[in-house]
Amino acid sequence: MSVEPLSIPQKSALAFLASSHAALSRDHQTIWSFHEPSWREYRSSQWYVDRLRAEGFEVEQGSAGMPTAFCARWTNQAGEGRGPVVAGYAEYDAVPGQSQVAAPHRAPRPGTTKHAAGHTDPHSALGIGSFAGFLAAKHAMEAHGIAGTLAFFGEPAEKMCGSKPVHAAHGYYDGLDAAISFHPHSFNALTNGVFWDTTSAPYWSKIYTFECEAPETWQNESHGGSVAHAHATARAPGAIDAVCLMYTNSKLMKESMLPHTGTWTLNEFIPVAGQAAADNLAPAYSQIQYSMRAPTLEMCAAAFTVLDRNAAHVAAMTHCSVSSAWITKTRSGLPNHALAEATYRNFERVGAPQWSEKAKEFARQGQRHLGHEAMPEPFIDNMTRLTPPAEAEAAFRSQLPAWQLNYAADDYVDYTWHAPTVRLYVARPTLKAPPSGARYPEWLRHAMNGDPDCIDPMWSKAAQVISMTILDLMTDPSILRRAQAEFRERTGGGIGGSRWVAPLLPSDFQAPTGYNWPEWVDTPRGREWSIL
């Protein structure tokens, strides 16, 4: 099959990326080195805000009330038409407990502990790839007088599916004509390509807070015995018992929450446990967060009905009060074939990413360090080939029930209900399994995320495909017409249509930034990693 030639604006965008590659590689190193966790990405978001303003974007910092979010817009007016509004975004949150130096041996980053955050997917390269693509499109639009608006969002806390449902609920995605979502490859069956029908699933998360506010009312004090001392009385179970009972009983009840079909997960995190010394005092305060991935909204609702009921009973058992608050609620992903086809066609024009001998030697050193024989070709074959949409879709369908249309989770799905959206995947460095079939430890994958030779081919290829697709949308009205017609058909008439799903969070939702999420804190002892 012949590949269509590049347009003149697309050639300009690719030339811009080639000439800017070294600088953009250094930019990635900057974000990778910040390695800030969810809702605490202060330096990372500020870096993007400053750069976007320097590039001529108008930037709203702290959009939708989220301190580390932003909304940036740049408009090029040419001729009489306003042109389309095309959106994309950067993510930049890292994951606690994944600190790793960019070297083929296990070690946390200098000046940190192994408990500090590190980029796993990596969002550092996700953000730079998208950012570079939008800068290249902007350059070409200016050079060739192309009308249109670029909307570029800063989306914190993706690991909690945090910001995009909030931006959506607050109306920030209203008025978009199309959106491009890029992610480093997560599925070896889809290394370089696009989602087709099977898209990401809903992700819901809620936090439960237990408080033992009046432990002295647990029992009648006259039964405390003949010694008149408060410590001699039976104390209220309190908040530690509450969170332990909530954790264990909800674990035991997992198989009673949902049918044994479809792929769903329920995970827990305990940010606060007790807030009391090991004395004969009832612990006063505890919290537990539940996060769920499930194929349908109804399955999410069913599981949280059980969790709500468990929390109420646990609170009664432990002499606590309980309150709950949503951390996030996403919708399921909505596909768009027209935009997926246009994006994949551009991927075909530039080809799959390729890795240098230096990148391969980094991988081999990691293999040797782990006691494996170094391979001449250490990376999986799919990294350097395109994955046609039909091939990827068939791979997904082979492992899922026929009724299940959504799998895994990512909060990009909230874009898909406000504008035609494509989900682009580009291969990240991934090692072939050794002959024994043993799995590599995660630290080696994370180390390659910070090595320019290993990670630059991924984000730079994403930038090429993104910039070219933006320019197609700006210059070929037929692509956007087809994408928007499909969007209206899938939603039953567009936003507000008969099959449209509105944001699941209220329009006045306050992002959950005030909880004790893991972060670096400054103390008289110096800078420390803290989970309070």
Side-chain angles (χ1 to χ4, degrees):
M1 183 177 66
S2 63
V3 177
E4 297 177 34
L6 301 177
S7 68
I8 293 175
Q10 286 174 330
K11 290 179 180 178
S12 294
L14 296 184
F16 172 87
L17 289 170
S19 64
S20 306
H21 179 84
L24 289 165
S25 179
R26 291 191 295 270
D27 290 339
H28 172 255
Q29 288 295 304
T30 297
I31 301 299
W32 187 84
S33 298
F34 287 151
H35 62 104
E36 298 167 302
S38 291
W39 297 124
R40 303 294 184 253
E41 314 96 330
Y42 298 109
R43 292 182 295 170
S44 302
S45 61
Q46 187 64 56
W47 183 91
Y48 275 108
V49 167
D50 292 343
R51 276 297 303 275
L52 286 160
R53 285 175 174 161
E55 296 287 346
F57 284 75
E58 294 184 5
V59 184
E60 177 190 353
Q61 196 166 7
S63 49
M66 297 179 283
T68 55
F70 61 81
C71 174
R73 284 181 177 257
W74 174 84
T75 298
N76 196 43
Q77 294 183 346
E80 297 181 358
R82 69 172 181 89
V85 180
V86 178
Y89 58 83
E91 295 168 5
Y92 29 78
D93 59 321
V95 181
Q98 304 301 322
S99 179
Q100 171 60 38
V101 70
H105 59 267
R106 181 71 175 106
R109 298 163 188 247
T112 75
T113 74
K114 63 182 181 181
H115 303 296
H119 284 287
T120 58
D121 276 336
H123 289 173
S124 54
L126 181 161
I128 290 296
S130 185
F131 173 72
F134 271 69
L135 286 190
K138 173 181 178 289
H139 168 81
M141 290 169 68
E142 288 177 313
H144 300 284
I146 299 170
T149 295
L150 301 177
F152 195 74
F153 290 86
E155 302 284 14
E158 190 282 328
K159 285 299 181 182
M160 295 189 197
C161 285
S163 68
K164 300 182 190 78
V166 181
H167 271 141
H170 284 250
Y172 279 80
Y173 302 158
D174 296 347
L176 301 179
D177 291 311
I180 300 173
S181 170
F182 154 60
H183 198 281
H185 98 263
S186 305
F187 315 96
N188 287 352
L190 174 54
T191 46
N192 295 296
V194 292
F195 270 168
W196 193 245
D197 284 319
T198 305
T199 59
S200 292
Y203 181 100
W204 288 17
S205 180
K206 181 184 278 192
I207 196 163
Y208 295 88
T209 300
F210 297 95
E211 295 187 73
C212 188
E213 298 168 320
E216 67 279 1
T217 63
W218 170 244
Q219 287 187 349
N220 186 332
E221 197 165 342
S222 64
H223 300 306
S226 60
V227 179
H229 194 288
H231 287 183
T233 63
R235 75 175 191 176
I240 284 183
D241 287 44
V243 81
C244 288
L245 286 169
M246 184 69 181
Y247 176 84
T248 55
N249 282 282
S250 296
K251 280 281 193 187
L252 291 171
M253 294 180 67
K254 267 190 177 182
E255 67 175 23
S256 299
M257 289 183 180
L258 291 169
H260 292 277
T261 184
T263 56
W264 59 275
T265 62
L266 182 66
N267 300 314
E268 314 88 351
F269 169 60
I270 299 174
V272 179
Q275 295 298 88
D279 196 356
N280 199 25
L281 298 171
Y285 186 81
S286 65
Q287 288 180 325
I288 184 168
Q289 177 194 6
Y290 285 91
S291 299
M292 183 173 202
R293 296 171 173 87
T296 68
L297 301 180
E298 292 77 14
M299 293 174 74
C300 290
F304 277 98
T305 297
V306 176
L307 291 171
D308 287 348
R309 186 166 59 235
N310 289 356
H313 286 286
V314 163
M317 293 167 63
T318 56
H319 203 56
C320 290
S321 63
V322 62
S323 59
S324 65
W326 288 108
I327 300 300
T328 191
K329 294 175 79 174
T330 78
R331 294 165 276 187
S332 54
L334 193 67
N336 193 280
H337 291 177
L339 192 48
E341 287 173 342
T343 304
Y344 187 74
R345 184 168 62 249
N346 283 320
F347 217 153
E348 290 181 311
R349 288 169 171 171
V350 293
Q354 304 294 317
W355 275 263
S356 67
E357 182 60 27
K358 288 181 66 176
K360 294 175 183 179
E361 183 54 31
F362 186 103
R364 295 186 195 110
Q365 290 177 25
Q367 290 175 326
R368 295 188 193 101
H369 179 78
L370 293 169
H372 302 297
E373 183 177 349
M375 300 177 182
E377 291 293 336
F379 295 129
I380 62 172
D381 296 335
N382 274 7
M383 277 173 47
T384 54
R385 63 176 291 269
L386 299 185
T387 312
E391 178 184 318
E393 183 64 22
F396 286 129
R397 299 314 320 158
S398 68
Q399 64 182 354
L400 297 175
W403 61 267
Q404 183 176 336
L405 301 179
N406 303 97
Y407 177 60
D410 188 294
D411 61 352
Y412 88 91
V413 295
D414 272 61
Y415 277 95
T416 70
W417 291 94
H418 296 267
T421 303
V422 63
R423 178 69 158 176
L424 167 69
Y425 280 91
V426 181
R428 55 176 294 174
T430 304
L431 296 176
K432 289 179 181 176
S436 66
R439 293 185 64 180
Y440 296 103
E442 289 290 277
W443 66 258
L444 182 52
R445 183 165 65 96
H446 302 163
M448 291 188 288
N449 294 340
D451 179 73
D453 293 307
C454 289
I455 201 63
D456 285 3
M458 182 203 69
W459 65 255
S460 60
K461 184 61 63 175
Q464 291 177 347
V465 178
I466 290 168
S467 65
M468 293 168 66
T469 303
I470 292 171
L471 292 168
D472 272 348
L473 290 167
M474 296 294 183
T475 59
D476 186 348
S478 67
I479 297 175
L480 198 54
R481 281 197 301 269
R482 290 194 300 272
Q484 291 181 337
E486 182 180 347
F487 176 77
R488 288 191 296 272
E489 192 279 329
R490 291 185 183 275
T491 54
I495 295 175
S498 60
R499 292 189 296 275
W500 186 69
V501 178
L504 301 181
L505 298 174
S507 60
D508 60 350
F509 182 81
Q510 299 299 304
T513 57
Y515 295 105
N516 290 321
W517 306 123
E519 64 177 322
W520 285 102
V521 295
D522 292 313
T523 76
R525 298 176 301 280
R527 193 163 173 79
E528 296 182 354
W529 183 247
S530 176
I531 302 178
L532 299 178

